[in-house]
Amino acid sequence: MTEQPISFERPQPGADPADPRGALLHTPTPATPPAGAAALPLQARTGETPSTPGTAVPRGAGTDPVGTDPEHSQPAGVEPGTHRPRPVSETIPVQPGGEQERPPGGPGAERRTGQGLPPGRPTPMRRDGDRLRFVGAATRRIARGIDLDEIVMGLCRATVPTFSDAILVYLRDPLPVGDERPTGPLLLRLRRTDRIPAERDTEGGFSPVPQTDSPDFPELAALGAELCEVRPGSALAEVLRGVRPVFTDAPAARAALPELLGDGGEFCVPDGQRAILAPLRGRRRVIGAALFLRRPERLAFDADDLLVAAQLATHSALGIDKAVLYGREAYIADELQRTMLPETLPRPTGVRLASRYLPAAETARVGGDWYDAIPLPGSRVALVVGDVMGHSMTSAAIMGQLRTTAQTLAGLDLPPQEVLHHLDEQAQRLGTDRMATCLYAVYDPVSHRITIANAGHPPPVLLHLGGRAEVLRVPSGAPIGVGGVDFEAVELDAPAGATLLLYTDGLVESRLRDVWTGIEQLREKLAATAQLTGPDHPPPLEALCDEVLDMLGPGDRDDDIALLAARFDGIAPSDVAYWFLEPEDAAPGRARRLARRALARWDMEELTDSVELLISEVVTNAVRYASRPVTLRLLRTDVLRCEVGDDVPQLPRLRQARATDEGGRGLYLVNKMARRWGATRLSTGKVVWFELNRT
């Protein structure tokens, strides 16, 4: 009778309480096994007559017949009909690391009696119920993994040391995804190895140092082939094509080991039926292989162990297949969300920006929240934040279309309320159920003013330099997609040093609080953070964004969150020079004189020649076609910026002038000498601008 380590069994009469194996059952062993009986003969209960040889009969007290659920067995002495529920073990039944002492009676005696094993080493699995419990617990452990590494780790931890003393897992490189048809040769890469820890090897397992004179004690670290190519028609290809696990002492498997393990790797595999090579087959193709190893002193695998290996390989392969699909979906979601949001924020003049985005959960990495910062003519910047209903791939797709539309409308320099109106029309074209909220603001660093229009979005919060935080009173408006509504814009002061915070409702609304409670908590959080840096120094933008996100509690993440913070530095009036020029022939000369005086006032005379040349060319092109006064503006920031505006909507194009042309070289000079230049169409015309580095 074998001893089976079941964690929930209690000591039975006759069990030695000092036995270090704990509550393991001891049952007398018959002197002579019946002829023709199975390898593990079953014993009859006390007082019962054994059945005929080869027939399963009830076992001793506390044991179960083969094929009978052990949880329904009754201990000896229990009245029939008395219900004694027993807990079901969720752990994997323990498998021995090996037997060091052979009991009297030959090498097979310990299989029948369970005696003679070292303390702490339970007997092998030799009952069908044991294997079923092991396979059930192992597959549950493998199924708990959600990504590739977790599934491979679950396979290794489930089998070592319960089923084998070591395992090597090879996976296809790269792993095919879904119906993808791999190109190129079949390559297998050693993904993971696992073995009994070194402290458990002191009794004769895998030695910590390679043994050249004892191939029966392999050292897995000595394997030299991490990547192998499966050649068509080779022995390894035939074994993988067979799908079923095989013992490595079979001729085909023995011939496949050098190809899998590399030169000399076959000597790491014990002789006989102490290793199983199991192909890992997914839904449509072989995706790898697993090699199960047992030490020489441990019982060899038998035919039933091949079925166990097949179950483990099948569940692992299907789990890996699903993990690869999940990984591809997660990658697509991440890439989609990353491309939908700005990769980097611009650095417009007079304003500093910082942003954050948090998905609703790890399993829902895409959503409909977005933010954007769009440079506009005249050193202005448009600040946008929006939220499409839901956090799915559809929401992200709708968000991407609305964001692209907002960027296009911003490039036309439309007023904020007009931008929202066109966004509303676009949302209706996308579908009747496409709803979104949006807040669109335009900041002018020269006038220190900000114009805001709202479409059903939470109001922004303005943190002043002194530490006071206020919720701006902006008309809420109807969400985008309702249709047939007007949007209203308000113009407010944006003092230097102030910080404007735009956000989506995921930051302030959850199941635990309503939106207005969350907005008040956000305002208090901003005021408290500003107090830490004092009344004369605003808090750093990046640290401020992190502090704002720290206000989220454990149950406050019901939606994705987009956050955009803008610090208004502005441009001082002393750093701005602005003129109107009549569209006449004398305008270029007057523009050169005005620019020369401004540069002298700013102590930038070294740029005079370059500025006069470039301004003369740009103003000449403007007055040639303009019918209204031309504007000229110089801005002194970290660079010198010059802007020339007229009422002609056609944008100038850079072209190479021919040798016989009298004109066409103005923009060529601007392109060669300026740090940056560009042209932007306005609702009233266009603006051509260029920048020069301050030396």
Side-chain angles (χ1 to χ4, degrees):
M1 176 62 190
T2 58
E3 304 170 68
Q4 179 58 31
I6 303 177
S7 58
F8 52 76
E9 291 190 4
R10 300 179 179 177
Q12 301 295 324
D16 184 4
D19 193 328
R21 287 169 290 181
L24 300 178
L25 304 182
H26 297 266
T27 305
T29 306
T32 303
L40 296 179
L42 300 175
Q43 306 297 324
R45 287 197 178 99
T46 304
E48 295 182 357
T49 302
S51 60
T52 58
T55 304
V57 297
R59 289 174 290 180
T63 60
D64 311 302
V66 175
T68 303
D69 190 353
E71 281 74 22
H72 297 286
S73 62
Q74 295 283 350
V78 178
E79 293 290 336
T82 303
H83 179 64
R84 291 188 58 183
R86 305 178 67 182
V88 178
S89 175
E90 288 295 331
T91 59
I92 298 176
V94 181
Q95 184 74 0
E99 299 86 5
Q100 298 302 319
E101 299 179 4
R102 299 294 183 184
E110 70 275 11
R111 300 189 184 183
R112 297 188 300 270
T113 66
Q115 307 297 325
L117 298 179
R121 292 185 182 272
T123 59
M125 294 181 296
R126 290 301 178 191
R127 296 185 301 176
D128 293 343
D130 300 337
R131 287 191 173 91
L132 288 177
R133 285 194 297 272
F134 166 73
V135 171
T139 53
R140 285 194 299 270
R141 188 166 193 170
I142 295 170
R144 282 198 295 264
I146 194 173
D147 59 22
L148 180 61
D149 292 332
E150 290 178 350
I151 292 174
V152 175
M153 173 73 74
L155 172 63
C156 294
R157 295 295 171 83
T159 55
V160 178
T162 309
F163 181 71
S164 63
D165 294 322
I167 184 175
L168 290 82
V169 181
Y170 290 83
L171 294 181
R172 197 163 187 159
D173 186 34
L175 279 168
V177 181
D179 297 331
E180 183 179 273
R181 300 181 66 87
T183 59
L186 171 60
L187 298 178
L188 294 182
R189 181 180 295 275
L190 181 60
R191 183 77 183 193
R192 182 177 180 84
T193 63
D194 203 359
R195 47 169 291 187
I196 297 178
E199 58 269 15
R200 300 185 59 179
D201 293 345
T202 57
E203 298 179 339
F206 295 111
S207 58
V209 179
Q211 301 288 330
T212 57
D213 56 347
S214 180
D216 290 338
F217 299 94
E219 173 55 40
L220 297 185
L223 295 177
E226 181 182 355
L227 185 68
C228 71
E229 178 180 346
V230 182
R231 296 181 298 274
S234 64
L236 180 57
E238 293 300 321
V239 171
L240 295 180
R241 185 180 295 113
V243 176
R244 298 181 181 277
V246 294
F247 293 119
T248 54
D249 62 348
R254 180 58 62 178
L257 288 179
E259 185 178 355
L260 180 67
L261 303 179
D263 296 336
E266 67 273 14
F267 297 107
C268 297
V269 179
D271 294 331
Q273 294 183 356
R274 300 187 182 275
I276 295 177
L277 180 58
L280 301 178
R281 181 176 179 82
R283 293 182 300 168
R284 292 177 176 85
R285 61 183 67 86
V286 173
I287 61 174
L291 184 62
F292 303 94
L293 304 173
R294 280 187 180 175
R295 305 182 199 175
E297 71 273 11
R298 185 169 175 175
L299 294 178
F301 291 110
D302 59 20
D304 290 335
D305 291 326
L306 288 178
L307 300 179
V308 175
Q311 288 288 330
L312 297 176
T314 299
H315 282 275
S316 300
L318 293 177
I320 291 171
D321 241 0
K322 295 177 181 178
V324 173
L325 287 173
Y326 171 79
R328 172 62 64 88
E329 290 183 358
Y331 170 78
I332 293 174
D334 288 340
E335 285 296 303
L336 177 62
Q337 190 66 64
R338 185 185 64 81
T339 55
M340 291 296 183
L341 297 175
E343 185 174 356
T344 58
L345 291 174
R347 297 182 179 180
T349 303
V351 62
R352 286 173 287 171
L353 302 171
S355 63
R356 294 290 188 274
Y357 176 81
L358 293 179
E362 285 298 320
T363 55
R365 304 184 183 184
V366 293
D369 291 15
W370 89 91
Y371 62 88
D372 215 340
I374 309 168
L376 299 178
S379 298
R380 296 170 301 152
V381 59
L383 307 174
V384 190
V385 64
D387 182 6
V388 179
M389 288 191 309
H391 38 80
S392 62
M393 301 287 282
T394 302
S395 301
I398 298 299
M399 176 266 286
Q401 297 182 66
L402 293 180
R403 178 173 176 246
T404 302
T405 304
Q407 289 179 328
T408 304
L409 297 172
L412 299 177
D413 198 30
L414 298 178
Q417 64 272 21
E418 290 295 327
V419 172
L420 295 184
H421 175 73
H422 289 291
L423 284 177
D424 180 59
E425 293 180 339
Q426 176 66 11
Q428 294 179 66
R429 284 191 290 267
L430 295 176
T432 56
D433 57 343
R434 308 307 185 190
M435 304 286 290
T437 63
C438 182
L439 192 144
Y440 188 94
V442 176
Y443 170 66
D444 189 343
V446 177
S447 63
H448 295 269
R449 303 280 289 177
I450 185 169
T451 305
I452 305 176
N454 191 8
H457 204 77
V461 180
L462 184 65
L463 178 62
H464 293 269
L465 183 59
R468 181 175 63 91
E470 66 169 327
V471 180
L472 297 183
R473 298 191 177 188
V474 180
S476 59
I480 290 174
V482 173
V485 295
D486 293 330
F487 300 97
E488 181 181 355
V490 294
E491 188 173 352
L492 304 171
D493 289 329
T499 304
L500 184 68
L501 200 71
L502 308 179
Y503 54 91
T504 56
D505 58 355
L507 180 65
V508 295
E509 186 179 19
S510 70
R511 291 170 293 177
L512 304 180
R513 62 185 178 188
D514 61 81
V515 61
W516 289 108
T517 301
I519 292 175
E520 181 61 22
Q521 293 178 0
L522 173 61
R523 189 192 65 80
E524 294 174 354
K525 183 68 173 181
L526 291 174
T529 304
Q531 296 298 327
L532 300 177
T533 57
D536 299 329
H537 301 282
L541 272 184
E542 298 294 337
L544 181 64
C545 292
D546 294 335
E547 288 292 330
V548 167
L549 294 181
D550 285 343
M551 67 177 283
L552 296 172
D556 292 346
R557 288 287 302 281
D558 297 331
D559 197 359
D560 46 341
I561 299 171
L563 178 66
L564 179 63
R567 173 71 43 76
F568 299 142
D569 294 331
I571 300 177
S574 58
D575 293 331
V576 180
Y578 191 84
W579 304 279
F580 286 95
L581 304 175
E582 293 295 330
E584 54 189 13
D585 294 341
R590 184 167 179 262
R592 291 193 295 268
R593 292 192 299 271
L594 294 174
R596 189 185 311 117
R597 295 173 187 172
L599 295 177
R601 186 170 66 253
W602 292 337
D603 296 327
M604 301 173 64
E605 289 88 349
E606 65 275 6
L607 297 179
T608 300
D609 294 339
S610 300
V611 171
E612 286 187 1
L613 175 60
L614 299 184
I615 283 181
S616 179
E617 294 294 336
V618 176
V619 171
T620 299
N621 290 337
V623 300
R624 178 176 300 176
Y625 306 103
S627 58
R628 296 181 181 179
V630 175
T631 59
L632 172 63
R633 184 166 72 171
L634 297 180
L635 302 175
R636 182 183 64 168
T637 57
D638 55 338
V639 297
L640 179 67
R641 181 183 177 97
C642 176
E643 300 174 351
V644 177
D646 58 59
D647 60 345
V648 181
Q650 286 78 18
L651 299 180
R653 301 297 180 188
L654 182 65
R655 64 182 181 89
Q656 185 70 38
R658 293 174 296 182
T660 57
D661 291 341
E662 296 183 359
R665 297 176 177 83
L667 287 181
Y668 180 79
L669 292 175
V670 174
N671 184 61
K672 287 294 184 182
M673 299 179 61
R675 172 179 176 267
R676 290 194 312 158
W677 76 279
T680 306
R681 183 178 286 109
L682 306 177
S683 57
T684 58
K686 69 175 181 294
V687 169
V688 180
W689 56 271
F690 63 85
E691 294 177 352
L692 294 173
N693 290 322
R694 297 177 57 178
T695 56

